[in-house]
């Protein structure tokens, strides 16, 4: 079943706790997560489906704040702070790899007694979600990716230039100089400032370790293995990833549904969060996951 238990359950089996919770990964690092569940409280927990949301690099579970009202009324949502992000611990050199990011999600699912689940991710979070679907297809019921290629190897991102910029200007300077590459003109200044403040909570040294690891990932040759229902949502005005590069997923994962958001840059999950959440909910309804 899609059931998922956690420390926020009441005696009736319904998760009512939405505060940050913690668990310890197998390598000893403390990871934080949030469970949002506003489904009907009289439904047995064993009958409920569970969706894991995986955020982008320099993000956290907080960046999905406008997705939750749309989704959690219909499905239990688990939001993990990726290691090195949000409230989770920062890994040392021995505690970080692409495989470790995958293991964190699987270990959290085990911690919550959740054998099968749905996955959705934004950017780097979507790449992690895709790898889990490829390596553990028996665990993943549906997959949804937003603004993601099959690994950063398939992009025009100059990760060396990004790292140089961060080291010279700091994360805040990096974001303030590149914010126009992320959101269209007219974006709410208050939101933009919050977005930058949130991103700057990330450890700069960890970011400089994170990007080269993701840059090595290339899932293209395995995309044909995906048999789960898959939703792919991409923007068409991303300055670092062309529409043709995004369409690699459409070409190699023939069973996927490919949706283009016209006129948007990379950060669609932040720029139009309710639209993205609604798209995901429509997809889940289409496949009989929610009513």
């Amino acid at each position: 079943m899609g059931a998922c238990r956690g420390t926020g359950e009441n005696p009736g089996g319904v998760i009512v706790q939405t505060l940050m919770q913690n668990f310890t990964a197998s390598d000893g690092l403390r990871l934080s997560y949030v469970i949002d569940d506003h489904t009907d409280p009289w439904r047995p927990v064993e009958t409920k489906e569970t969706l894991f949301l995986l955020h982008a690099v320099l993000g956290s579970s907080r960046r999905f704040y406008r997705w939750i009202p749309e989704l959690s009324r219909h499905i239990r949502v688990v939001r993990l702070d990726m290691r090195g992000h949000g409230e989770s611990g920062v890994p040392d050199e021995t505690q970080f790899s692409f495989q470790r990011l995958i293991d964190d999600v699987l270990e959290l699912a085990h911690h919550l007694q959740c054998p099968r689940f749905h996955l959705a991710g934004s950017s780097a979070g979507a790449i992690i979600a895709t790898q889990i679907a490829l390596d553990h297809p028996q665990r993943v019921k549906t997959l949804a990716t937003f603004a993601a290629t099959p690994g950063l190897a398939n992009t025009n991102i100059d990760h060396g230039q990004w790292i140089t910029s961060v080291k010279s200007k700091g994360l805040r300077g990096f974001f303030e100089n590149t914010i126009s590459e992320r959101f269209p003109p007219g974006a709410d200044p208050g939101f933009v400032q919050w977005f930058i403040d949130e991103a700057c909570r990330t450890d700069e040294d960890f970011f400089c370790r994170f990007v080269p690891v993701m840059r090595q990932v290339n899932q293209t040759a395995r995309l044909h293995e995906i048999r789960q229902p898959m939703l792919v949502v991409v923007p068409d005005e991303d300055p670092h990833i062309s529409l043709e590069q995004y369409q690699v997923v459409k070409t190699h994962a023939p069973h996927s549904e490919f949706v283009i958001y016209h006129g948007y840059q990379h950060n669609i999950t932040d720029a139009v969060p309710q639209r993205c959440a609604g798209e995901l909910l429509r997809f889940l309804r289409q496949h009989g996951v929610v009513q």
Side-chain angles (χ1 to χ4, degrees):
M1 304 297 292
C4 178
R5 299 182 182 273
T7 57
E9 288 184 330
N10 66 17
V14 178
I15 295 176
V16 294
Q17 177 66 273
T18 58
L19 298 176
M20 190 67 71
Q21 302 180 57
N22 302 291
F23 81 105
T24 301
S26 59
D27 65 351
L29 195 69
R30 177 190 56 79
L31 300 179
S32 298
Y33 65 97
V34 179
I35 297 176
D36 305 279
D37 183 2
H38 297 94
T39 59
D40 293 336
W42 57 85
R43 290 175 53 202
V45 67
E46 291 82 4
T47 68
K48 294 186 179 185
E49 299 284 350
T50 300
L51 167 70
F52 282 74
L53 287 181
L54 307 182
H55 64 78
V57 62
L58 294 170
S60 74
S61 59
R62 286 161 56 91
R63 289 260 290 274
F64 287 113
Y65 76 103
R66 291 187 70 181
W67 291 51
I68 299 309
E70 187 81 16
L71 294 172
S72 66
R73 179 66 185 91
H74 304 277
I75 190 169
R76 177 188 296 104
V77 181
V78 179
R79 295 178 283 154
L80 171 68
D81 276 359
M82 192 187 308
R83 60 178 52 213
H85 295 76
E87 301 300 321
S88 289
V90 178
D92 62 29
E93 296 288 346
T94 67
Q95 295 175 307
F96 184 65
S97 65
F98 184 56
Q99 183 61 50
R100 186 63 255 182
L101 296 171
I102 296 164
D103 292 342
D104 288 344
V105 179
L106 296 173
E107 289 179 11
L108 175 56
H110 176 76
H111 173 72
L112 298 175
Q113 301 178 40
C114 192
R116 301 188 68 211
F117 44 82
H118 305 267
L119 274 175
S122 171
S123 192
I127 295 172
I128 296 166
T130 299
Q131 196 67 43
I132 295 171
L134 287 169
D135 293 347
H136 304 273
Q138 73 282 5
R139 304 291 303 276
V140 180
K141 292 185 172 184
T142 65
L143 172 66
T145 67
F146 293 80
T149 57
L152 294 189
N154 306 284
T155 70
N156 300 323
I157 294 173
D158 185 344
H159 73 283
Q161 191 277 329
W162 277 13
I163 292 171
T164 298
S165 180
V166 168
K167 287 183 176 179
S168 65
K169 302 174 183 177
L171 280 173
R172 187 168 299 277
F174 170 72
F175 271 100
E176 288 176 346
N177 289 343
T178 61
I179 200 67
S180 63
E181 300 175 0
R182 303 175 183 280
F183 301 108
D188 181 347
F191 162 74
V192 171
Q193 188 59 55
W194 178 84
F195 176 91
I196 294 173
D197 290 344
E198 284 291 299
C200 290
R201 297 171 63 202
T202 310
D203 181 84
E204 289 182 6
D205 290 336
F206 174 71
F207 170 74
C208 293
R209 286 189 282 138
F210 185 97
V211 174
V213 168
M214 298 302 293
R215 181 71 179 177
Q216 296 173 17
V217 179
N218 188 343
Q219 302 160 329
T220 304
R222 293 190 61 195
L223 289 177
H224 69 278
E225 299 176 25
I226 296 176
R227 290 291 182 266
Q228 303 95 333
M230 182 180 183
L231 171 68
V232 181
V233 183
V234 305
D236 66 352
E237 294 191 7
D238 190 325
H240 298 291
I241 306 174
S242 69
L243 185 57
E244 289 74 22
Q245 288 170 325
Y246 278 125
Q247 287 176 324
V248 167
V249 181
K250 178 181 179 181
T251 301
H252 291 269
H255 302 291
S256 63
E257 176 187 354
F258 194 83
V259 179
I260 301 172
Y261 283 8
H262 297 285
Y264 287 97
Q265 292 130 306
H266 185 71
N267 289 81
I268 54 174
T269 54
D270 304 286
V272 283
Q274 289 168 298
R275 180 178 177 183
C276 290
E279 195 84 65
L280 178 55
L281 190 60
R282 173 199 60 77
F283 168 75
L284 293 173
R285 282 199 177 107
Q286 177 181 326
H287 293 281
V289 178
V290 300
Q291 297 299 316

